[in-house]
Amino acid sequence: MMRRSKINQIRNIGIIAHIDAGKTTVTERILYYSGKSHKMGEVHDGEAIMDWMPDEQERGITITSAVTTCRWKDCDIQIIDTPGHVDFTIEVERSLRVLDGVIGVFCGVGGVEPQSETVWRQADKYKVPKMAFINKLDRIGADFFGVVEMIRERLIANPLILELPVGSEDNFTGVVDLLKMQQIVWNDDSLGATFNYQEIASDLIDQAKEYREKIIEALAEIDDDIMEAYISEKPVTTESLMKAIRKGTIEMKIVPVICGSALRNKGIQPLLDYIVEFLPSPADIPPIKGVHPATGEVIECPPLENSPLAALIFKVSMIEGRKLSFVRVYSGKLRVGDEVYNPARNKKEKVARILKMHANKRERIEEASAGSILCVVGLKESSTGETLCFQEHPVLLEKMDFYEPVISVAVEPKTHADQDKLDQVLEKLSSEDPTLKVHRDEDTGQTIVSGMGELHLEIIISRMLREFKTSVNVGKPQVVYRETIEITGEGSAIFDREVAGQHHFAEIHLVLKPRPRGTGNRFSSQVTFETIPEIYIPAIEKSVLESLESGMLLGYPVVDIDAVLAGGSFKESMGSELAFKVASSMACNEALRNGKPFLLDPIMKIEILVPETSMGEVIGDLNSRNGKIESIAAKAGVQVIKAVVPLAKMFGYSTSLRSASQGRGTFSMHFSHFDRI
């Protein structure tokens, strides 16, 4: 039987960052020093515990967010290690939805990189308190204070430095703890498991005093007691500083900043101390709110065991052929054998098993209380973003936002045996990953798989072969476009026909107007109920919006349209939903044709880091791809080019960049918006 933690001794934290900032290495060290694992797994050796998928080990990147738990100072720390690559943003998004605090890991050389900005904004969206760990200070070109400044400017955060690095690059030996005013030195013989507190070196003491004073000044602005002591020049105790830092962090007024080098085993134990000290327990954050599925009344779900159950499925995973639902329990208690209710589907489900996860290993438990993150086996129909509760106390928690795919490939089975498996495999993969969309092209009969980027689709194809033993031929990547109209288009249609012995009649006049980019589709009616009875308006709206899902040019979804029902007629006893649906669809198609339809390209934001000498060639290449350069700035010996480029022009870009910069350029790219080129 597992030992139970009180709710204020739980920390649900995530580790977020740009690709290659060292998130997984930080997590591996946390597990080692907390005694959860007895061997340090290294990402570059393909042996990291948290990167357990074969694709992750081969590529040295995190693809799925892995969940684990460790214990430190009487606290259970439940950790989610998230991916850093932009193609797997959904993994970060759904993890942040259920976390109470995050550690942003920043590379001491790269600083705040594009994907760290994206994930930081996602954490802001879910109001998650944050700490920053500046990693890789042993690397050439590492600049601790430069990164702190970037956190302030790029992330519009208020960083509070709690540690100073001792030495830099090859000479990085430890840190100065500004709260204890002591220097920490790690013993390399013990793989960093043991360390000593020493007097601060004489050449660092003045800087340490200056930065401790800065801590007091910053906290005086958010804490009245410290302000009083500061004004009257009384000494401020470490205890009162700790209390104020915790309060400021939870209220998201400050971001505590500490530093180290995870690969060199330095800086992790203070990070664990500060996770326990400064990040919130589930009891420290406002209770999550949901709504009653029938009445819409707002319901508060306090983090108490004796409250009604409220839990959110934040991820579904197929491991060894079994469906595992990752669940965060916000309120109440979940037990093996419980019959739970899913209000989104109006379905009851049975909890067959509850598992505590450690990456892909699991431990069976009998029950889980508020604050827990765990896996449930036995939920057949429930999916990502859905709520579990009890039918006598129904509650619907806010759903999650998912991103629209921007790139597609056609897949076809290599053999007849693969044909039978293909549909099942794709169904399993898309139930696991909400950003993966699968549809059949009616004209060609091909199965089209759409995702967030080339790497995303590569991993999906690789998993089909590795995990599900399904071989497929893959077509060239195709861009997922959108369609819209240039001018106002009008369309009219009459449906006047006998169907199954009954006469149906409907007349529709529809006006489609273009809306500003990114504002979506909208339907409104200007007809009186004498012209068309009120009962048929919802059927007309549904039919028009369904018609806009497939455009007149290439069948892509039509966006940014104002659809106005401007007129029509019906005949008594001949009006029917069927007639109005068909007439609406015909009128909509005619109006689209008359509105001069055109294609919208997915436009990507791209950030390129290149040496000064390669600038001309790289910019020339971007211009040839219809790229629009937004800014160029110098940073630590390289030039940073920010631009927007149509995705259709970006296939094979990594090869072009390598040849233009003698292999020294790097880039990251993510979806920005749809627009006309």
Side-chain angles (χ1 to χ4, degrees), residues 56 72 145 166 217 223 311 350 364 378 518 540 577 665 674:
E56 295 181 312
W72 188 261
F145 294 105
V166 178
E217 280 172 27
D223 186 282
K350 188 88 167 182
R364 286 176 70 162
I540 295 168
E577 266 198 21
F674 283 97

Side-chain angles (χ1 to χ4, degrees), residues 568-604:
S569 67
F570 85 113
K571 290 181 180 173
E572 205 67 61
S573 81
M574 287 189 200
S576 70
E577 266 198 21
L578 169 74
F580 279 106
K581 272 186 168 179
V582 178
S584 303
S585 178
M586 288 158 61
C588 186
N589 289 343
E590 187 187 323
L592 280 174
R593 273 193 295 272
N594 294 337
K596 288 195 179 173
F598 64 89
L599 282 182
L600 293 172
D601 269 74
I603 306 294
M604 309 302 281

Side-chain angles (χ1 to χ4, degrees), residues 260-308:
S261 165
L263 193 61
R264 300 278 168 265
N265 311 317
K266 293 176 172 65
I268 300 299
Q269 294 92 337
L271 171 63
L272 278 163
D273 288 344
Y274 290 152
I275 287 170
V276 169
E277 294 287 353
F278 302 142
L279 287 179
S281 75
D284 294 321
I285 52 174
I288 194 164
K289 290 184 171 68
V291 295
H292 191 288
T295 64
E297 162 206 359
V298 174
I299 298 170
E300 205 166 79
C301 307
L304 303 169
E305 280 189 16
N306 52 8
S307 294

